[in-house]
Amino acid sequence: VNWFVEPAISILARASTRSTPARPRIDGIATKSSDEQFVALVSGAADAVVTAMDNVMDWRMRDFGRDLCIIAQVEQTTPLSLIAGADVSEIEDLRGGTLLVDSTKNGFVVAARALLDDAGLPSGSYALKAAGGVRERYQSLLAGEGDATLLGAPFDGTAIAQGARVLSRVNDRYPAFPGQGLVVRRSSDERVRAGVIAWQAALDHARARALTSRKIAVSHLIEAGMSSPSAEAMIEILPRSLVPDRDGVALLIAQRERARLRGANVTYSDLVDSSLFDSAGYSREPNR
């Protein structure tokens, strides 16, 4: 499984030692960009990726991309802050500046563009610079290679501790903003499908246990290297269900359409394959 940072729900599934339906062995590979994830997925180098669900809209327009689909939502939301260097005090200061992004066409750049547009900075009033995943964008911002970027935990807090500042928060502006999704190939062979179904069941079991045994879940995340505040925050965004949230997907489609980026002419069923939901025994409780 290819991801930027291992999701909390996956860490909790690994930490679970009792009454787990199945404990498949998962090899997690850290990626540097969503484009790298796409190549790994379509080439078969990765069986699945954890990524911004918006990415699938762009990926579907590429060669072999129509084979990709979302099969789970691993966070209720992805907390994202627009973080700027110390010399930037408000969003208006980004006019004529440079926004560091993973990709200029997909992923969190869509939410960033919507956020800036709502603040009076339309597309074209600032430059976009592809800088890679969250770790790479964090490093680029601190190195002065751009004026601002979207960061999530723990990189947002670390950047602030080093003098950066928060200009705005995506989740405050867009409460329905959904968390990352688990993406696979629809044509995956039976080996992959069986492994993914078993992992989904383990994730859902860990999710349910964490919501009823919060202190234990927090301790597992701390043991995995998170700070106590970060662990508490990660428990807060565990999904109520692994079924991708319809309102959240609708928001992503609307934001992409607003940005006039390709791939927005889709529906929930185009992006989400629900055939594995029942196989994995998902809870159907709404995410909101």
Side-chain angles (χ1 to χ4, degrees):
V1 180
N2 187 304
W3 50 47
F4 290 94
V5 178
E6 184 177 12
I9 195 173
S10 175
I11 296 172
L12 294 174
R14 285 195 293 105
S16 182
T17 57
R18 295 186 297 274
S19 65
T20 305
R23 297 194 64 191
R25 177 171 154 266
I26 298 297
D27 292 327
I29 301 171
T31 188
K32 292 183 178 180
S33 73
S34 57
D35 287 335
E36 184 178 86
Q37 284 187 314
F38 173 79
V39 172
L41 196 52
V42 299
S43 70
D47 296 317
V49 303
V50 175
T51 196
M53 291 195 286
D54 172 77
N55 286 334
V56 181
M57 291 184 231
D58 181 77
W59 291 351
R60 281 170 47 86
M61 307 300 293
R62 306 182 190 183
D63 289 343
F64 310 109
R66 289 298 176 103
D67 192 35
L68 306 182
C69 61
I70 305 164
I71 60 168
Q73 181 172 328
V74 299
E75 304 166 321
Q76 184 175 356
T77 187
T78 301
L80 291 172
S81 298
L82 181 62
I83 305 291
D87 57 341
V88 176
S89 59
E90 56 186 31
I91 291 181
E92 178 59 32
D93 294 337
L94 296 178
R95 191 178 296 276
T98 299
L99 183 69
L100 300 168
V101 297
D102 171 17
S103 167
T104 60
K105 298 179 180 179
N106 62 324
F108 296 143
V109 67
V110 179
R113 286 181 58 173
L115 195 68
L116 294 181
D117 190 63
D118 284 344
L121 267 68
S123 175
S125 62
Y126 53 89
L128 297 174
K129 180 178 179 180
V134 61
R135 191 184 308 274
E136 288 73 25
R137 296 197 308 276
Y138 159 78
Q139 293 170 341
S140 293
L141 180 67
L142 294 185
E145 296 170 5
D147 299 297
T149 189
L150 285 183
L151 295 178
F155 299 100
D156 53 352
T158 305
I160 292 168
Q162 297 190 56
R165 65 179 69 197
V166 177
L167 300 183
S168 185
R169 300 187 191 278
V170 168
N171 312 83
D172 290 343
R173 180 67 185 175
Y174 312 110
F177 189 75
Q180 294 185 96
L182 179 62
V183 180
V184 300
R185 300 181 301 277
R186 293 180 193 269
S187 61
S188 296
D189 59 33
E190 286 305 311
R191 174 193 65 81
V192 174
R193 289 178 68 85
V196 167
I197 289 171
W199 192 43
Q200 286 174 302
L203 292 176
D204 198 51
H205 180 80
R207 177 200 62 78
R209 282 181 58 85
L211 294 177
T212 57
S213 305
R214 183 186 179 105
K215 288 184 178 179
I216 294 174
V218 168
S219 68
H220 284 322
L221 296 180
I222 292 173
E223 288 171 6
M226 288 189 190
S227 67
S228 180
S230 292
E232 292 280 358
M234 289 299 100
I235 298 301
E236 286 295 328
I237 64 168
L238 286 178
R240 299 299 177 265
S241 163
L242 296 188
V243 178
D245 178 54
R246 286 184 176 273
D247 289 344
V249 172
L251 172 67
L252 297 180
I253 293 172
Q255 288 184 333
R256 175 165 281 274
E257 184 175 32
R258 176 180 176 183
R260 297 177 180 170
L261 292 172
R262 68 178 192 170
N265 187 26
V266 291
T267 65
Y268 180 91
S269 59
D270 291 330
L271 301 175
V272 178
D273 186 345
S274 60
S275 64
L276 295 184
F277 294 172
D278 292 331
S279 299
Y282 277 179
S283 163
R284 292 304 187 108
E285 180 182 353
N287 271 303
R288 289 177 176 80

